[in-house]
């Protein structure tokens, strides 16, 4: 319903066209067994990436299939060469889940953080396929821990093993009967951050923008975050701000430019445009 007026919804819908036919073509030419990684979006992919790449190097007799639910992940990583195939996950439903699993026939399934889809999970369990949750995190307010949460608890029972981020999550799971197949393994996103930091390179345009000023970096921001930052940025002209918004469609970027009147897009900065504006820039770079 939203696709005619919402670009993300349109990409979400169009990206799922012919998904089964394309999957069949991939599997037809694939001789190795499949390890299937599923991520909701780009953040979960970055969380899974250290594990995914380690498995890819260590278990060369398997091919990795990577699926996304959101266009924010798929559109950016659809050409990721660490996986043999990247696809959208078809909508959860009995027919879709059965068809997907019959085509892929994975030998191992790894889902990241908090993706729970009833028909897929039960289809995996019925086929006795090992299913792992990695970097899971649980809080008291989630449905699993409510009196009416039996449907969600039932989905948790489909996992062969739950790797959680912290002891609190493990303790919470113990209150609803999940204790034997749960381990605290930390947050794999830290591994990814360490990797990025170790291989980082300087960006001359950003260094020039910052100069000798203090800088605040705000990543994956939403509209509410940006509105909060607006007041702080305007009252602290001595600090430089770099904002990487979660949504980077043109309309949202224009809204940010209206909010932060002296803003400069990195795309313009890196191509040499808006040089004059850089000289008076005191607030924000997007």
């Amino acid at each position: 319903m939203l696709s005619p007026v919402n670009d993300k919804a349109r990409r979400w819908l169009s990206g799922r066209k012919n998904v089964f036919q394309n999957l069949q073509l991939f599997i037809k030419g694939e001789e190795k067994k499949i390890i299937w990684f599923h991520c909701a979006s780009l953040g979960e992919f970055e969380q899974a990436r250290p594990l995914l790449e380690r498995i890819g190097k260590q278990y060369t007799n398997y091919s990795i299939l990577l699926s996304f639910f959101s266009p924010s992940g798929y559109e950016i990583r659809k050409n990721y060469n660490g996986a043999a195939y990247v696809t959208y996950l078809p909508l959860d439903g009995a027919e879709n889940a059965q068809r997907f699993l019959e085509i892929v026939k994975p030998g191992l399934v790894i889902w990241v953080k908090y993706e729970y889809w009833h028909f897929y999970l039960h289809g995996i369990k019925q086929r006795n396929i090992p299913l792992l949750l990695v970097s899971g995190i649980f809080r008291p307010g989630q449905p699993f821990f409510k009196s009416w949460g039996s449907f969600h608890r039932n989905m948790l029972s489909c996992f062969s093993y739950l790797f959680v981020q912290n002891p609190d999550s493990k303790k919470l799971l113990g209150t609803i009967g999940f204790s034997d197949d749960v381990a605290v393994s930390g947050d794999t996103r830290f591994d990814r951050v360490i990797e990025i930091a170790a291989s980082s390179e300087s960006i001359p345009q950003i260094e020039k923008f910052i100069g000798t000023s203090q800088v605040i970096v705000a990543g994956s921001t939403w509209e509410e975050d940006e509105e909060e930052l607006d007041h702080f940025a305007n009252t602290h002209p001595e600090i430089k701000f770099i904002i990487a918004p979660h949504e980077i469609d043109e309309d949202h970027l224009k809204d940010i430019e209206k909010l932060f009147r002296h803003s400069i897009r990195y795309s313009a900065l890196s191509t040499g445009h808006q040089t004059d504006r850089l000289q008076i820039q005191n607030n924000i770079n997007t």
Side-chain angles (χ1 to χ4, degrees):
M1 292 174 63
L2 289 173
S3 60
V5 295
N6 183 286
D7 180 63
K8 187 173 182 179
R10 185 162 52 251
R11 287 183 285 131
W12 187 92
L13 189 64
S14 63
R16 285 171 166 80
K17 290 181 179 178
N18 302 319
V19 64
F20 290 115
Q21 294 90 326
N22 294 332
L23 266 174
Q24 286 174 324
L25 288 174
F26 161 67
I27 293 297
K28 187 176 180 180
E30 184 57 52
E31 297 179 354
K32 298 178 181 179
K33 292 182 178 180
I34 299 295
I35 294 177
W36 170 26
F37 273 82
H38 175 63
C39 305
S41 189
L42 186 61
E44 288 74 28
F45 166 77
E46 290 297 329
Q47 205 156 19
R49 187 169 178 170
L51 178 62
L52 187 156
E53 294 181 351
R54 181 74 63 87
I55 286 176
K57 290 178 181 178
Q58 187 168 345
Y59 298 96
T60 55
N61 55 326
Y62 284 85
S63 287
I64 292 176
L65 182 145
L66 172 63
S67 66
F68 288 100
F69 181 78
S70 168
S72 302
Y74 176 80
E75 293 297 334
I76 294 176
R77 291 302 178 191
K78 59 186 176 183
N79 297 316
Y80 170 63
N81 59 14
Y85 190 74
V86 184
T87 181
Y88 273 107
L89 181 71
L91 280 175
D92 191 34
E95 184 177 345
N96 278 352
Q98 180 178 348
R99 190 176 178 187
F100 187 94
L101 291 167
E102 284 180 354
I103 293 172
V104 176
K105 295 182 175 62
L108 172 66
V109 181
I110 299 174
W111 281 21
V112 184
K113 197 172 181 177
Y114 44 42
E115 277 289 88
Y116 307 104
W117 297 109
H118 171 81
F119 290 102
Y120 280 104
L121 293 176
H122 280 276
I124 293 166
K125 183 178 181 180
Q126 288 167 5
R127 288 165 174 77
N128 295 315
I129 302 169
L131 171 64
L132 308 178
L133 179 72
V134 298
S135 291
I137 189 163
F138 294 89
R139 300 179 178 89
Q142 292 173 308
F144 309 106
F145 310 105
K146 303 296 185 179
S147 59
W148 44 264
S150 59
F151 177 80
H152 291 80
R153 289 191 289 273
N154 189 255
M155 286 193 287
L156 281 185
S157 69
C158 295
F159 287 92
S160 309
Y161 212 92
L162 300 163
F163 293 96
V164 298
Q165 293 187 23
N166 53 44
D168 287 344
S169 293
K170 180 177 172 63
K171 185 177 179 180
L172 267 175
L173 288 170
T175 64
I176 56 173
F178 294 91
S179 54
D180 294 337
D181 298 324
V182 181
V184 178
S185 60
D187 186 347
T188 49
R189 190 169 298 192
F190 284 95
D191 299 85
R192 180 60 182 151
V193 170
I194 291 170
E195 287 181 1
I196 293 171
S199 60
S200 64
E201 298 180 0
S202 63
I203 305 174
Q205 296 92 339
I206 296 295
E207 291 183 350
K208 183 178 179 181
F209 165 73
I210 295 171
T212 58
S213 302
Q214 289 184 312
V215 61
I216 290 177
V217 180
S220 194
T221 59
W222 294 92
E223 184 178 351
E224 295 85 352
D225 305 315
E226 291 144 12
E227 290 173 353
E228 290 291 334
L229 284 170
D230 174 46
H231 174 73
F232 189 81
N234 287 329
T235 55
H236 292 80
E238 76 282 3
I239 299 176
K240 298 292 179 70
F241 290 81
I242 297 175
I243 293 184
H246 187 85
E247 299 290 349
I248 56 172
D249 59 272
E250 185 63 21
D251 288 342
H252 185 54
L253 293 180
K254 286 181 178 178
D255 288 341
I256 293 177
E257 288 177 319
K258 290 178 182 177
L259 190 64
F260 300 91
R261 295 181 301 277
H262 302 300
S263 61
I264 300 173
R265 295 194 194 189
Y266 176 74
S267 57
L269 188 66
S270 61
T271 55
H273 298 301
Q274 298 188 8
T275 304
D276 293 338
R277 291 183 67 188
L278 177 59
Q279 304 303 319
I280 62 171
Q281 170 64 33
N282 286 315
N283 292 336
I284 176 176
N285 176 37
T286 57

